[in-house]
Amino acid sequence: MTESPQDFLSSPLSVVCHDAGAANLIIAWLKGAFSLELRPHMQGPALKIWKYEFPDSVVLPLEVAIQESAQLISGTGWGSAAEHQARVLARDRGVPTIAVIDHWVNYADRFIRDGIKVLPDELWVADEWALSIARKEIPGIPVRRFENRYLQRQVSKVSPVPGTGVVLYVLEPV
């Protein structure tokens, strides 16, 4: 797995997220992508994460974020309809879309709101299980797997385990 997510992104890039999971993956993939013009629309937990990671970035209204974009990358969360609406707007404008799935459940349902199904042009995941599930549950859509740079960064911050024993490290709020 030597390909970088940045190899497949076009500028200007709309970035739309609400939930933290996909936002963390996307932001970790975008960090250091200095050649990309980012057009973010963030809501909910993703907004706080985005402002922390890109403090000088201006968060745009959804319509503005999609306008004149060459591509959209979005989350697929349950917390809002913003990501779905972004895919609708992008489809209507002929903007290619990438959706990032950060969980292992309800793949097909993530693309339906109010009975309207809008699939992305491509799916991105960060592990082999998600890759397998995505290919099975959403056939016909290309799926790419990239390293989980967010997880790598989190693990690098964990102190070495003292002595012997077993450690459970939980990355999600329980």
Side-chain angles (χ1 to χ4, degrees):
M1 200 173 26
T2 59
E3 296 176 321
S4 167
Q6 295 168 13
D7 297 336
F8 300 94
L9 296 173
S10 301
S11 187
L13 177 68
S14 292
V15 186
V16 179
C17 295
H18 178 277
D19 294 1
N24 280 317
L25 286 174
I26 291 168
I27 289 167
W29 289 330
L30 291 176
K31 291 297 276 188
F34 299 113
S35 62
L36 291 174
E37 175 191 340
L38 302 178
R39 301 178 61 78
H41 174 79
M42 300 289 148
Q43 294 180 353
L47 177 61
K48 183 177 180 181
I49 297 164
W50 185 269
K51 286 185 175 262
Y52 178 80
E53 294 291 343
F54 297 99
D56 298 328
S57 174
V58 175
V59 175
L60 303 169
L62 183 57
E63 290 267 348
V64 175
I66 302 294
Q67 285 174 339
E68 300 177 21
S69 287
Q71 192 174 41
L72 163 70
I73 188 166
S74 70
T76 55
W78 293 101
S80 99
E83 296 152 329
H84 180 79
Q85 185 60 31
R87 284 188 292 278
V88 169
L89 291 170
R91 180 193 61 197
D92 292 348
R93 289 173 172 79
V95 174
T97 60
I98 299 165
V100 175
I101 298 179
D102 63 295
H103 281 286
W104 301 311
V105 296
N106 305 318
Y107 281 34
D109 292 340
R110 293 173 182 275
F111 301 101
I112 302 170
R113 294 289 191 282
D114 298 323
I116 299 170
K117 183 177 186 178
V118 180
L119 292 172
D121 296 306
E122 200 169 299
L123 291 169
W124 286 11
V125 298
D127 63 60
E128 287 297 327
W129 299 284
L131 180 68
S132 176
I133 295 167
R135 287 181 172 160
K136 185 174 109 182
E137 291 193 19
I138 308 176
I141 303 289
V143 184
R144 294 186 195 275
R145 176 185 168 238
F146 296 104
E147 290 180 289
N148 189 332
R149 293 180 184 168
Y150 170 72
L151 179 59
Q152 291 169 350
R153 189 172 70 190
Q154 293 299 99
V155 169
S156 74
K157 295 177 182 179
V158 176
S159 300
V161 178
T164 61
V166 177
V167 174
L168 172 63
Y169 184 68
V170 180
L171 294 174
E172 293 262 343
V174 182

